[in-house]
Amino acid sequence: MDINNKRLLLTGACGGIGAEIAAVLADASASLILVGRNESKLRALQLSLNQPDSHHLIVADLSTPQGIETIHQTCQQWKREGTPIHGLINNAGSNCFASLSQREPASISNEIHLNLTVPVLLCQQALNWLSRPALILNIGSTFSAIGYPGYTTYCASKAGLQRFSEALHRELDGTGVQVLYLAPRATDTTLNSAAVTELNQQLGNQIDDPRWVAEQVMQCLIKETQVRWLGWPEKLWVRVNQIFPAPVASAIRKQSKTIRQYLIKAEVI
Ligand SMILES: NC(=O)c1ccc[n+]([C@@H]2O[C@H](COP(=O)([O-])OP(=O)(O)OC[C@H]3O[C@@H](n4cnc5c(N)ncnc54)[C@H](OP(=O)(O)O)[C@@H]3O)[C@@H](O)[C@H]2O)c1
């Protein structure tokens, strides 16, 4: 898709990766609909972007039915007024680094809701208001394809999002709507606590710059890449884990003592 002058709706716009996606797409002359919970943060982001007046804001808490409905009503109204929306980027997400046994049930439900149910609901609504041709890009994670200790329910939610994206892409074949999936590895944002960042450093895991991730998001949209895994060697491990998981399990087993130490640290905090 040629991004120039296209109107794209971005959730989680004020987050570490979201704000960079907004900056990169605005620099490429896209017009953005920025979605977030905090109006003043959204306004500050809008003012920081190239051509601020070409962007719109929707204040919505996606974890509530009202938040989802607000997006739907606003986009339907634009459609009625003849304002096309060419794409949806489902980027909002959250996680919690903790053992399953230490999690509160509500924290598990909220995480799965935001990471999986919310993008599914937004995709369903978007089929009503997106113009054609259109792109939907779901932001996943390396952990959608590699089960990792401390992230059981995050892995589950992103694995669900990956399979959903694949199924919907196939379901919509020939309709003019494509569903893309991009999976970052560890990225330098506040999604990761100080303990998680330290753990990644201890394990020698690469941590990507959110601007670089945002540039890959834009490339994905331009090239209409259906599935993209970011980072080497993670993208290799993703493939190996699907076909022959034993080496991946063995590599993670070697890390388990360190991971356990950091899980205890995270739980004490
Ligand atoms: N950082 C990483 O290491 C990493 C790695 C792989 C994949 N990812 C994925 O990349 C995406 C962006 O993550 P990030 O690193 O940019 O995280 P982040 O900095 O924590 O930003 C997360 C965004 O999600 C939004 N959000 C959280 N709860 C919400 C809710 N109830 N309603 C509406 N929005 C809500 C936040 O909105 P507010 O601004 O309103 O708080 C924030 O903008 C996520 O899907 C994440 O799973 C991240």
Side-chain angles (χ1 to χ4, degrees), residues 12 15-17 37 61-62 91 93 114 140 154 158 184-185 187 189 192:
I17 294 175
R37 287 174 294 184
D61 183 344
L62 298 177
N91 167 69
L114 183 67
Y154 182 65
K158 291 293 188 178
R185 62 178 173 183
T187 306
T189 74
N192 301 313

Side-chain angles (χ1 to χ4, degrees), residues 6 124 127 137 171 179 198 207 220 255 257 265:
K6 293 296 188 308
Q124 189 195 30
L127 296 179
L137 173 58
E171 185 171 299
V179 185
E198 203 180 297
I207 302 174
C220 227
Q255 300 178 335
K257 195 174 156 205
K265 237 188 200 181

Side-chain angles (χ1 to χ4, degrees), residues 88-91 135-139 180-182 217 220-221:
L88 161 68
I89 304 171
N90 278 309
N91 167 69
L135 293 178
I136 294 173
L137 173 58
N138 293 325
I139 303 292
L180 318 178
Y181 179 81
L182 179 136
V217 167
C220 227
L221 293 169

Side-chain angles (χ1 to χ4, degrees), residues 47-118:
L47 292 175
S48 74
L49 298 177
N50 190 27
Q51 298 194 312
D53 292 343
S54 67
H55 311 300
H56 298 86
L57 311 181
I58 301 180
V59 181
D61 183 344
L62 298 177
S63 61
T64 66
Q66 298 89 318
I68 303 278
E69 190 56 23
T70 300
I71 294 178
H72 190 49
Q73 293 305 332
T74 310
C75 293
Q76 288 280 53
Q77 182 61 29
W78 274 322
K79 186 184 172 186
R80 281 193 289 273
E81 290 166 1
T83 306
I85 304 174
H86 308 92
L88 161 68
I89 304 171
N90 278 309
N91 167 69
S94 69
N95 69 25
C96 174
F97 176 64
S99 311
L100 184 64
S101 60
Q102 300 300 314
R103 297 281 300 278
E104 292 294 336
S107 147
I108 295 172
S109 305
N110 293 343
E111 184 184 47
I112 294 175
H113 184 73
L114 183 67
N115 293 344
L116 178 57
T117 311
V118 165

